[in-house]
Amino acid sequence: MSNDAHLAPGDPTPASDNAAPIDGTATDNSVAVEWRGRVTDDEINVLHAEAFEHRVLDDDWLTPLTTLSLGWVTARDEDELVGFVNVIWDGGVHAFIEDTAVAERVRRRGIGRRLIAVARENATAAGCEWLHVDFDDHLRSFYFDACGFAPTNAGLMRLK
Ligand SMILES: CC(C)(COP(=O)(O)OP(=O)(O)OC[C@H]1O[C@@H](n2cnc3c(N)ncnc32)[C@H](O)[C@@H]1OP(=O)(O)O)[C@@H](O)C(=O)NCCC(=O)NCCS
């Protein structure tokens, strides 16, 4: 892992060489996808519970998001949070996709793909060179075909 200096979490998003806006604001439909969009703990807890099929918890998301993560991406349909992904990082060149979630009622409309695209653009703009993710078998088509990840060897160890 590199020790290159990079933006600290919370620093403004740097300009992109890309002509396309990197805030991901939707222009193609009613769902707005935004890097570091406004969000509350309650909204993430409700969406996460639906997406990962557990009871609604009372987790503090904003503290780790704003102090540890490179950033996060939100998707809003009108005012409702319908998509979220956390982009964690090592402080250097590696960023990691975690907790990708899209509300069931708006799935298969390309929102998940857009969440990952905005995460990718902003991780690149922040100086990251690698974007990692791990997932269950049934999501191979989503991450490999729709989002552009390449298969690789990876390891995972349950700690408790
Ligand atoms: C995985 C998830 C984020 C996808 O969000 P989404 O907005 O429905 O995804 P998209 O519409 O961008 O999908 C793009 C393509 O990916 C593939 N895809 C998406 N979800 C898929 C699924 N459940 N099974 C198989 N392929 C899938 C399809 O090819 C799809 O294109 P198509 O609809 O034209 O066939 C969403 O299903 C979800 O929140 N699931 C529950 C939580 C979860 O498992 N998160 C991932 C943790 S690693």
Side-chain angles (χ1 to χ4, degrees):
M1 304 233 173
S2 160
N3 288 321
D4 291 355
H6 286 282
L7 289 174
D11 282 352
T13 303
S16 169
D17 293 339
N18 219 324
I22 62 169
D23 66 2
T25 302
T27 52
D28 57 340
N29 62 35
S30 63
V31 175
V33 178
E34 204 179 343
W35 177 246
R36 286 179 166 268
R38 69 181 167 82
V39 72
T40 66
D41 287 333
D42 287 350
E43 288 177 313
I44 302 175
N45 279 315
V46 167
L47 179 62
H48 197 279
E50 183 197 302
F52 295 97
E53 299 178 345
H54 57 75
R55 71 183 172 82
V56 178
L57 303 174
D58 190 24
D59 287 351
D60 171 8
W61 285 86
L62 294 186
T63 301
L65 285 177
T66 55
T67 58
L68 298 172
S69 288
L70 179 64
W72 60 92
V73 187
T74 56
R76 284 188 182 274
D77 184 12
E78 300 293 338
D79 202 42
E80 185 189 349
L81 185 75
V82 294
F84 171 81
V85 65
N86 187 4
V87 186
I88 59 181
W89 73 328
D90 68 345
V93 298
H94 297 267
F96 301 76
I97 293 294
E98 199 63 53
D99 291 310
T100 314
V102 171
E104 208 163 346
R105 72 171 179 84
V106 292
R107 284 187 195 159
R108 307 306 283 261
R109 286 171 43 181
I111 296 169
R113 184 191 56 72
R114 289 171 59 202
L115 288 170
I116 301 298
V118 170
R120 172 186 177 170
E121 288 165 9
N122 283 277
T124 304
C128 292
E129 295 175 11
W130 297 99
L131 188 59
H132 303 248
V133 70
D134 65 82
F135 48 84
D136 292 337
D137 266 352
H138 73 283
L139 291 177
R140 289 174 65 88
S141 168
F142 174 67
Y143 283 108
F144 292 152
D145 303 331
C147 297
F149 285 90
T152 187
N153 290 329
L156 188 63
M157 186 183 292
R158 183 178 286 280
L159 298 179
K160 67 175 194 176

